[in-house]
Amino acid sequence: MGMISRVRGRIRSDSFSKIHTIKSEDKIANIVWLLSLVFLLPYWAPRGLLVALGGAWLMAAYTCLVVPVLISANYRYPARWYPAVAKMARKTARKLRAPFVFILTILKTAYAPLERSEKLFLQMNNLSTMISQLLMFTACDRLLVSQGRLTSLYSLMFYNVITYSVSYVREICTKEDWSPYVNVTRHSRVKHLAMSATKIVLEWTKAVTFIVTITFVLLTLGLEQGLEHYRPTALYTAITGTYYLLSERTFLELWPIALSAFKLERLEGMEALYCGLWSRGVTTALAVPLVPALMWYERWRLAFLVLYICVFVHGKYRLGEALKKIREARGSLAKFRRATPEELATLEDVCAVCLGTMKSARVTPCAHFFHADCLRRCLATSDRCPICVRPYVFC
């Protein structure tokens, strides 16, 4: 009898205790899961129970207090069916993903010729810019000008005249060789008569064209002849003028020069990259709200063209290219720390690359100071210091 009682006690203490422990853990896991459902019911209540009772603050406080407790409790006491459900969900996702991948592959194959056409279209920079400007001007004409015919064409012609005038004045201001003659070779003093005559005729043609153009514009605006259908509003002029100034190549070359006059140290001499990013971002942003407005007035074809060319194509390639350049520039300079004002004050030196004064600089591991843009250009060709020709080693 004593032996039997000991065996029964051993069995109860070992085997059945383990079985009861397992059952109790399963019960706890199921209870935790049911309680989690109960505590999550307020989120599914109609008309937002928590918001109705105490507003958004009560919902935020309830979320911060309850959700972490529920997650930790389910992690501490996981039910046995959790892994099975997760495995079934993964299998279902794999089965559903295969058709989507197949459809996506077909769409990519069908889009490949169109993508090549888009790239070829953007390579023709002048044509693509003029078409995007014409689409934007036409969209603004349809939305913002009442009883105005050909306002977009008048505006585009007027802006092109301004661009030609600005480019001609810029050419005169930056011109170094005022000699009307052309030498046979660079170091020769013998004049090439045919080329000299051609150069003189071209210069006089440019000057006469500039004078006639400015006179014609002034007479047209002053006498208002031929402008019966030209009635631009202030908003129309603001949108189209901004878009033109930020998309025309002549002005895109001038904005970095104007921005560099402010000498903003945060830009670190990369005004051209930032101006390209800002101009493309603003032009894309200006085109976005015109699309739903055109759709509201049932201008479906014009809305599609503006969406595709001015938003999608230019945003995908030109804005994407500007973002890529900015990221590459920041990435290449990320390892080089900025020089402190104390270091620049004690240094009193010039950049070894451009020989300009340094109000802001980057420091190499070999303790040499360069302008950020100068260092970025050097990194594009070599990974060694321009002064000591040592490879950059970062600790």
Side-chain angles (χ1 to χ4, degrees), residues 128-202:
S128 60
T129 301
M130 185 186 68
I131 290 177
S132 63
Q133 291 171 353
L134 187 58
L135 286 174
M136 281 291 297
F137 285 28
T138 306
C140 293
D141 193 356
R142 298 293 184 271
L143 295 173
L144 304 176
V145 180
S146 60
Q147 299 179 356
R149 301 177 183 176
L150 303 178
T151 304
S152 57
L153 293 180
Y154 279 123
S155 301
L156 189 57
M157 291 173 60
F158 178 69
Y159 293 151
N160 283 327
V161 168
I162 294 177
T163 303
Y164 172 75
S165 304
V166 170
S167 61
Y168 183 72
V169 172
R170 181 189 177 191
E171 181 182 353
I172 292 176
C173 295
T174 58
K175 191 173 184 179
E176 297 180 356
D177 184 15
W178 288 90
S179 175
Y181 305 106
V182 178
N183 297 330
V184 175
T185 60
R186 180 179 299 178
H187 303 288
S188 175
R189 294 185 179 181
V190 179
K191 310 303 181 193
H192 195 297
L193 297 180
M195 294 297 295
S196 299
T198 304
K199 183 178 179 181
I200 293 172
V201 172
L202 287 176

Side-chain angles (χ1 to χ4, degrees), residues 7 37 44 78 133 148 158-159 181 185 192 242 309 316 319 339 355 376:
V7 170
L37 289 180
W44 303 97
Q133 291 171 353
F158 178 69
Y159 293 151
Y181 305 106
T185 60
H192 195 297
T242 303
I309 295 179
K316 177 183 177 182
L319 182 58
L355 301 179
R376 180 182 64 85

Side-chain angles (χ1 to χ4, degrees), residues 264-326:
L264 301 176
E265 297 180 5
R266 293 178 59 87
L267 302 182
E268 295 185 310
M270 295 185 289
E271 286 84 359
L273 296 180
Y274 282 100
C275 283
L277 176 63
W278 294 337
S279 61
R280 285 165 174 79
V282 172
T283 52
T284 305
L286 286 175
V288 170
L290 297 181
V291 176
L294 289 170
M295 296 174 66
W296 176 265
Y297 288 101
E298 298 182 356
R299 306 277 184 175
W300 303 105
R301 287 179 292 182
L302 185 57
F304 173 76
L305 291 174
V306 172
L307 176 64
Y308 179 67
I309 295 179
C310 299
V311 178
F312 177 73
V313 175
H314 286 266
K316 177 183 177 182
Y317 294 100
R318 290 184 173 169
L319 182 58
E321 182 183 358
L323 282 171
K324 182 180 178 181
K325 290 181 179 179
I326 286 289

Side-chain angles (χ1 to χ4, degrees), residues 105-121 308 317:
T105 305
I106 294 176
L107 291 177
K108 286 183 178 179
T109 305
Y111 179 67
L114 185 60
E115 186 177 12
R116 289 193 294 269
S117 302
E118 292 171 356
K119 293 180 179 179
L120 181 62
F121 172 71
Y308 179 67
Y317 294 100

Side-chain angles (χ1 to χ4, degrees), residues 322-365:
L323 282 171
K324 182 180 178 181
K325 290 181 179 179
I326 286 289
R327 289 172 182 170
E328 289 178 352
R330 289 179 176 176
S332 61
L333 296 173
K335 296 181 179 180
F336 301 91
R337 67 176 181 88
R338 296 174 182 265
T340 61
E342 292 78 11
E343 290 175 335
L344 293 174
T346 56
L347 185 64
E348 293 183 358
D349 199 357
V350 296
C351 177
V353 178
C354 66
L355 301 179
T357 57
M358 289 187 292
K359 294 185 178 180
S360 64
R362 295 279 182 157
V363 186
T364 63

Side-chain angles (χ1 to χ4, degrees), residues 43-61:
Y43 292 103
W44 303 97
R47 297 183 181 179
L49 179 61
L50 294 175
V51 177
L53 292 177
W57 289 106
L58 178 60
M59 185 173 182

